[in-house]
Amino acid sequence: MDFQLSQDQRALRAGIRGLLAGRFDRDRMRAAHERGGGVDRALWRELGAAGFFALRLPEAAGGVGLGLPESVLLFEEVGRALLPGPLAATQLAAGAVKGVAEGEAVVALAEAGRPVGHLEGADALLVLDGDRTRLVSGGALRRLVDEARPVRSLDPGTPLWRVPDLSAYEGEVLPDGARLRCEGALLAAAEQLGSATRSLEAAVQHAGEREQFGAPIGVFQAVKHLCAGMLVRAEPARSAVYAAAVTGDPVEAAAAKLLADEAAVDNARDCLQVHGGMGFTWEADVHLRLKRAWLRSGQWLTSADAEEVLAADLG
Amino acid sequence: MDLAYTEEEEAFRARLREWLGSVLPGLPGKPDPGDWPGRRAYDAGWQRLLYDAGYAGLHWPADAGGRGATPTQHLIFLEETERAGAPYVGANFVGLLHAGPTIAAEGTAGQRARWLPPVLRGEEMWCQGFSEPDAGSDLASLRTRAVRDGDDYVVSGQKIWTSHAEVADWCELLVRTDAQAPKHRGISWLAMRMDAPGVTVRPLRTLAGSTEFVEMFLDEVRVPVSHRVGAENDGWRVTMVTLSFERGTAFVGEVVACRRTLDALAAEARRNGRWDDAVLRRRLGRLSAEFRALWRLTQWNVSEAQASGGVPGIGGSVFKLRYSHVRQELYEAAAEVLGAGDALDLDREWVLDRLSSLSYTIAAGTSQIQRNIVAERILGLPKGR
């Protein structure tokens, strides 16, 4: 047993981190959020060229041939960088929708009873509706977009639309819907983990720099213990996310999503608190992470559903 | 990232399972918690069985009488013994997990030869004399004095929270040997015989009603200078070696046990109808996520230790913070499963455990001290008060 990252996995993580640092630095991240989020098609194509979307397609089919653990490492970095877009749904649809592997197509995610993100301009829609998982595209998708109404989105990085009744639009039913949902939850959990880690780093940096009472505020236990608590949330979540990626087990994925959602939301809140008044401003980045973390908490598998999955497995 | 065990590791597990299956049915019945001689004999007997089968000091280095097993093999050992319901380390705890590893790391060849084999064979038990009434979280401010007199130290002072003192032969003792030096630099580590003249032990009753630890009064106790491990006044560093062992793989068995308890709670809730309460059901589901994650974090830490040559990292503080909190939550949930009436009955399962669990966020470094360690040593925040 060696649960640590392999050399190749470390290299993969460094590669995507480097790509995002060069192509989606803080200025670009802020600019993307100021213009209302949405998908940057040029960046999407660059990710496609780097193999992001074809990561798990077999090499024989033109893919990279890597597995869920590698995918999770990529999504952790995406979460760190706060890159907007339906990346998980798109990567999962790589074998099923033309152009996805190359970064030419965007597949948005729609779940019954919730607003749909990134609907405008999407090439296909991955619909989770009851136990059915299907891909809606073409004429049905155009009709759906026509009938959708924009929502004033809480998350500046994710434009949202309300669709009256998802069940009214037919599409191609996917045979492995349960697996897609499990993996989608896990990729979202990986993004949450990256976000939770970034919030911790931002809080620690601020606590080391900001001075009050003649000392960096990180000297004070009240602040120190908030930061320690953030690490204590993030590390068990990390182990849960990585383990679920290795086993592919749906109950472990539920544990991962539950703990990563909590880590992302609560770490963003504590990060905001450590930043004091600045944390409440638009200028600070932490509200963007908190809002995205709230959004992702409601996607793929909610806390309540994850807890029921875990409970059903007990006894 | 690979969670699969190697063929060699699986073979180790299979041999261990077979051995456990052959010896556990022949064990005597567990002694009453208040029967200290019985507890000592029981724990000693189990340790002797481990020794004879080659499982004693599994992960200790060979020059300390150990088997040089990898951290992963140690993890498998702790997992399988707990699964099989084997006896807990019990009165051998300090010898095997604190004093022994300290002597193995810091003792002379003669000290290792004198003290380690009897620990591995279950013949000698140790207790820990670290904390004092005025030196708890601030352990380095301890005041028990040791004054040189010829080839002896003469030791006077008071220790507290000493577990298994009733049955121990030896005490790993921290004493002040230089009152003028800064507090961390005037401490020495001594091995003291518990039957030495001047040692008085008084049991302390815990809130659970049991006497798991004592206070210990030392009145001019003579300890040979040759029983000092490490240099004079270097005891703080020697102690930190011990504490890093305490925060290593120490909770593997407990996490396995907690997962079994959680399954039993779910079964009981299904039986008594409380499973229909969605709030309780979801609470148990959340605890399942926590213990699954703690198990995976254990595997992560063990893999890290294996990569670094077997040294447990300070990540143990992160683990202990989460684990001690979640284990308390587990018994709070147990009280819900039992219901308001049965949760008041000390003879019902889990009710005493709920009381005992209150110590987890205090013992072996309070959660507040652990957060300081995490913030300063892992996150690099400035040291403060």
Side-chain angles (χ1 to χ4, degrees):
Chain A
M1 180 197 70
D2 183 7
F3 195 17
Q4 301 282 300
L5 272 61
S6 69
Q7 285 300 326
D8 286 350
Q9 287 169 337
R10 285 175 209 277
L12 182 79
R13 185 173 62 181
I16 181 76
R17 191 176 289 190
L19 188 154
L20 290 171
R23 193 56 187 74
F24 195 69
D25 61 12
R26 179 173 186 267
D27 288 349
R28 288 186 173 104
M29 184 275 286
R30 290 298 307 208
H33 285 81
E34 293 307 335
R35 56 165 195 270
V39 172
D40 174 349
R41 288 281 186 159
L43 177 53
W44 209 260
R45 274 190 290 274
E46 274 186 55
L47 287 171
F52 185 96
F53 297 112
L55 188 83
R56 296 181 59 206
L57 288 182
E59 288 181 80
V64 186
L66 291 175
L68 198 50
E70 286 75 20
S71 192
V72 152
L73 293 174
L74 293 187
F75 276 81
E76 188 181 342
E77 294 304 317
V78 160
R80 267 181 81 88
L82 206 52
L83 182 66
L87 290 141
T90 302
Q91 195 197 59
L92 288 171
V97 176
K98 196 166 159 287
V100 160
E102 298 77 19
E104 299 292 342
V106 173
V107 180
L109 171 70
E111 296 178 81
R114 293 172 216 163
V116 180
H118 305 283
L119 180 62
E120 198 170 56
D123 300 278
L125 198 58
L126 180 66
V127 178
L128 312 183
D129 178 14
D131 287 335
R132 290 199 313 156
T133 305
R134 62 190 196 281
L135 277 168
V136 174
S137 58
L141 177 58
R142 278 192 295 278
R143 264 204 337 280
L144 184 153
V145 172
D146 281 346
E147 285 160 34
R149 291 289 162 264
V151 174
R152 218 156 65 81
S153 177
L154 168 96
D155 172 11
T158 309
L160 293 174
W161 283 264
R162 220 179 267 287
V163 179
D165 179 13
L166 274 178
S167 66
Y169 309 95
E170 282 311 309
E172 175 199 351
V173 175
L174 299 173
D176 49 357
R179 180 186 63 82
L180 285 177
R181 285 160 185 259
C182 166
E183 293 183 1
L186 189 56
L187 296 181
E191 286 189 72
Q192 297 287 54
L193 174 62
S195 173
T197 309
R198 185 73 196 89
S199 286
L200 167 63
E201 289 168 3
V204 168
Q205 185 179 351
H206 185 74
E209 289 169 1
R210 166 74 174 168
E211 294 197 4
Q212 289 289 276
F213 305 100
I217 59 172
V219 158
F220 304 109
Q221 289 190 346
V223 175
K224 206 172 258 183
H225 289 191
L226 274 182
C227 294
M230 292 165 77
L231 185 70
V232 172
R233 277 188 211 110
E235 290 310 302
R238 176 183 313 283
S239 298
V241 169
Y242 290 179
V246 172
T247 64
D249 175 59
V251 184
E252 279 208 273
K257 180 67 163 47
L258 180 67
L259 298 182
D261 281 345
E262 185 180 86
V265 169
D266 291 354
N267 277 14
R269 292 195 56 164
D270 283 350
C271 177
L272 194 157
Q273 185 70 23
V274 167
H275 279 76
M278 277 308 296
F280 189 64
T281 66
W282 188 266
E283 184 189 331
D285 294 342
V286 61
H287 73 102
L288 300 174
R289 278 196 303 277
L290 176 58
K291 290 164 179 174
R292 188 72 49 79
W294 274 333
L295 177 102
R296 279 191 296 247
S297 293
Q299 290 178 329
W300 299 98
L301 186 67
T302 63
S303 293
D305 290 341
E307 285 167 350
E308 291 287 6
V309 168
L310 286 152
D313 191 60
L314 284 173
Chain B
M1 278 186 237
D2 186 4
L3 288 167
Y5 293 90
T6 64
E7 231 170 84
E8 199 188 340
E9 287 161 353
E10 289 296 2
F12 173 81
R13 186 192 298 275
R15 276 197 309 277
L16 175 60
R17 270 191 190 170
E18 194 188 328
W19 178 74
L20 287 167
S22 69
V23 296
L24 292 182
L27 283 186
K30 281 194 180 164
D32 185 84
D35 173 13
W36 283 104
R39 281 173 68 169
R40 175 177 170 133
Y42 183 83
D43 295 342
W46 171 241
Q47 184 60 29
R48 181 71 206 199
L49 281 175
L50 286 172
Y51 180 82
D52 289 340
Y55 290 115
L58 194 62
H59 62 300
W60 288 17
D63 67 358
R67 301 273 156 174
T70 64
T72 303
Q73 285 172 327
H74 190 216
L75 172 83
I76 292 170
F77 173 79
L78 294 168
E79 181 188 6
E80 290 298 328
T81 46
E82 177 57 41
R83 278 221 174 111
Y88 183 56
V89 65
N92 295 299
F93 183 86
V94 172
L96 286 170
L97 277 83
H98 297 215
T102 303
I103 294 163
E106 299 288 330
T108 63
Q111 289 173 332
R112 291 204 296 267
R114 165 62 190 88
W115 283 314
L116 299 181
V119 166
L120 293 174
R121 289 194 298 259
E123 290 163 2
E124 289 185 346
M125 312 267 168
W126 287 68
C127 62
Q128 188 184 69
F130 282 12
S131 298
E132 297 179 3
D134 290 326
S137 292
D138 182 14
L139 180 60
S141 71
L142 61 91
R143 291 195 305 218
T144 293
R145 281 195 321 140
V147 180
R148 280 285 279 268
D149 180 27
D151 291 335
D152 290 340
Y153 288 105
V154 178
V155 181
S156 294
Q158 188 184 347
K159 294 289 177 179
I160 198 166
W161 319 130
T162 311
S163 303
H164 299 113
E166 286 92 338
V167 294
D169 305 288
W170 294 93
C171 178
E172 53 164 344
L173 193 67
L174 287 182
V175 294
R176 185 152 305 283
T177 36
D178 184 349
Q180 310 309 319
K183 64 181 180 180
H184 293 89
R185 297 199 198 121
I187 295 171
S188 299
W189 192 106
L190 303 180
M192 178 185 77
R193 280 212 62 93
M194 287 298 285
D195 59 5
V199 179
T200 309
V201 157
R202 191 162 72 198
L204 285 167
R205 195 164 182 220
T206 73
L207 59 75
S210 57
T211 53
E212 291 300 314
F213 41 55
V214 305
E215 45 184 350
M216 190 163 66
F217 300 88
L218 306 174
D219 182 16
E220 302 199 341
V221 180
R222 297 191 82 86
V223 178
V225 172
S226 61
H227 287 187
R228 187 190 69 228
V229 169
E232 189 169 82
N233 299 325
D234 196 28
W236 184 256
R237 190 189 57 77
V238 171
T239 304
M240 286 301 115
V241 173
T242 312
L243 292 182
S244 77
F245 278 94
E246 185 170 4
R247 287 161 195 164
T249 46
F251 300 109
V252 171
E254 280 94 328
V255 172
V256 174
C258 283
R259 292 187 68 178
R260 199 172 46 220
T261 299
L262 189 56
D263 276 325
L265 287 178
E268 173 62 16
R270 285 195 171 101
R271 196 194 61 76
N272 71 19
R274 293 203 169 81
W275 191 253
D276 296 337
D277 175 354
V279 175
L280 174 61
R281 198 171 60 232
R282 285 180 49 188
R283 187 172 181 182
L284 296 176
R286 172 167 287 268
L287 283 167
S288 174
E290 293 281 0
F291 286 114
R292 281 168 176 273
L294 286 171
W295 176 249
R296 296 311 192 182
L297 183 57
T298 301
Q299 290 179 310
W300 178 267
N301 287 342
V302 164
S303 294
E304 194 175 43
Q306 190 139 325
S308 71
V311 182
I314 45 177
S317 287
V318 172
F319 187 95
K320 184 182 182 284
L321 274 164
R322 185 85 166 212
Y323 162 74
S324 52
H325 172 72
V326 175
R327 190 156 180 199
Q328 289 178 348
E329 291 288 307
L330 175 69
Y331 293 115
E332 289 307 304
E336 290 270 313
V337 170
L338 287 170
D342 284 351
L344 298 175
D345 180 349
L346 283 171
D347 288 325
R348 287 302 303 256
E349 199 177 4
W350 306 313
V351 177
L352 263 178
D353 294 329
R354 185 187 186 195
L355 294 178
S356 302
S357 76
L358 296 171
S359 73
Y360 299 152
T361 46
I362 300 168
T366 65
S367 291
Q368 287 65 38
I369 291 294
Q370 300 290 353
R371 285 190 195 99
N372 286 349
I373 291 172
V374 168
E376 291 170 9
R377 298 200 209 149
I378 302 180
L379 299 178
L381 286 169
K383 265 187 94 65
R385 297 182 61 82

